[in-house]
Amino acid sequence: MPKANKISTVAVIGAGQMGTGISEVVAKHGHAALVYDLDKSRIRASIEASAGYFRRQVETGKMPGEAAEEAISRIKGAFSLQDLASADLVVEAVSENEGIKRKVFTDVCTVLKPDAILATNTSSLSITRLAASTDRPNRFIGIHFMNPVPVMKLVELVRGIGTDQETFATAKDFAQSIGKTVTVSEDFPAFIVNRVLIPMINEAIYTLYEGVGNVEAIDTGMKLGANHPMGPLELADFIGLDTCLSIMQVLHEGLADSKYRPCPLLVKYVEAGWLGRKAQRGFYDYRYVPARPTR
Ligand code: CAA
């Protein structure tokens, strides 16, 4: 069983926004990061983005050049599943779709060392249910990072019903070794942070839908009135409106309480493909600088 200090190679599956940030903090703190994605061009783009991140760290005086180059050299692309065989820990960070995640686990388990730990960065799905689709429910755990990963100090650790104590201790030590503070959540829909945060965002969208205020009024209200670094609609665009909707659906179905019903305006934006920053349009239109509210 790998202990935290024995975790030297971390495979990150999914080279999107979260996967890229995870490999950056992993490499920054001395572990090797293997970046895997079905789409090979995303692997290259992720590694390039991480190199850009480390070079900006040097330019702004936050990291010595040598340390940055070493960190860059610790991030490698994994262009076939077989390349993940050396991983001590795998962090799955593919899109928030249970079918896709299950397929990833089925495939990766065929190449992993028997004692490797398998972790998911799911923001809302049941860890116990995901664990059951693997060959190692005892070595399966939720390690939930926040976006932007290099900046946010927290990770939530979530045990499934079968996660053993050693896996939990190893994951906790690993999270601390990459500079994160750990909070522990029970395995209930959306865990702690998203259970509180996403209904707040959904309520902000209802506030917009019902005409209580426009985008600017709602975001200014919460930024200056509640000292949030971003207004809730700006934050929704940052997280991705499809992700916000899917978390509300998990809460609504999982807790069977109408207070979690997704706002119809959120559904409409997602149906339009206005998914937030990544689609250039959501509650703001990012094709303009500065971004313009869409309502
Ligand atoms: N990667 C790395 N560093 C980043 C970054 C990124 N993507 N974005 C910003 N930063 C860094 C900047 O380099 C800067 O660093 P220094 O202070 O060392 O100079 C710092 O963050 C602040 O950035 P900026 O000055 O550009 O901008 P800002 O002050 O407006 O802060 C922010 C940006 C940190 C994103 C801030 O607006 C914020 O904290 N927003 C809220 C984020 C949040 O709530 N995240 C959680 C979302 S929920 C979630 O992730 C869970 C889920 O499952 C959905």
Side-chain angles (χ1 to χ4, degrees), residues 53 62 123 144 146-148 150-152 194 197 229-230 235 239:
Y53 162 74
K62 286 173 207 134
S123 49
H144 181 214
M146 309 293 139
N147 185 22
V151 179
M152 305 303 282
N194 285 334
L197 182 67
M230 285 176 168
L235 182 56
I239 293 169

